[in-house]
Amino acid sequence: QVRLVESGGGLVQAGGSLRLSCAASGSIFSIDAMRWYRQAPGKQRELVAAITSGGSTNYADSVKGRFTISRDNAKNTVYLEMNSLKPEDAAVYYCNAKIQTKKLYVGDYWGQGTQVTVSS
């Protein structure tokens, strides 16, 4: 069994910063790409940032230059550093990872989500 658990969300003023973490645990053999998505009320879930196992990254245009994704492979953890936050960044942020288990099953796993609220 594999779990992804996010933390670090909360309420911040516009222009402020937050750091999200997502730790994977369980019967993990390897983790490929790790991603952050977000979903605001009434909107579709969108990809915010992604990082490969080798450390290559890509970002949504709306967050480029403000958000940084990173990972600690030894800890099976991915981070999202969010700076210069805007009210439009408010959403539930979800962690996603492509994981191969020790039984060699490969699947997409999701965290439960963490709320980010940005006040103007």
Side-chain angles (χ1 to χ4, degrees):
Q1 190 175 0
V2 172
R3 291 182 65 203
L4 296 181
V5 178
E6 300 110 332
S7 61
L11 172 63
V12 64
Q13 286 189 330
S17 299
L18 281 175
R19 187 190 196 210
L20 306 183
S21 300
C22 171
S25 63
S27 182
I28 297 170
F29 179 75
S30 66
I31 303 177
D32 193 357
M34 302 186 83
R35 303 176 181 90
W36 287 98
Y37 287 79
R38 67 186 180 188
Q39 187 167 21
K43 294 188 176 181
Q44 287 190 329
R45 190 171 296 191
E46 63 172 346
L47 178 64
V48 175
I51 185 167
T52 67
S53 57
S56 297
T57 60
N58 67 278
Y59 298 90
D61 287 343
S62 59
V63 307
K64 280 180 181 176
R66 300 187 297 121
F67 290 13
T68 302
I69 189 171
S70 62
R71 64 191 285 173
D72 184 333
N73 291 330
K75 295 182 179 180
N76 290 335
T77 299
V78 63
Y79 306 96
L80 187 68
E81 185 77 34
M82 305 186 293
N83 298 314
S84 302
L85 281 160
K86 304 175 181 180
E88 51 264 42
D89 293 319
V92 177
Y93 282 71
Y94 297 92
C95 172
N96 166 267
K98 185 175 182 180
I99 296 174
Q100 184 175 33
T101 69
K102 291 181 180 177
K103 292 186 177 181
L104 303 184
Y105 166 78
V106 178
D108 252 354
Y109 292 87
W110 291 87
Q112 80 287 354
T114 185
Q115 178 72 49
V116 172
T117 304
V118 184
S119 63
S120 55

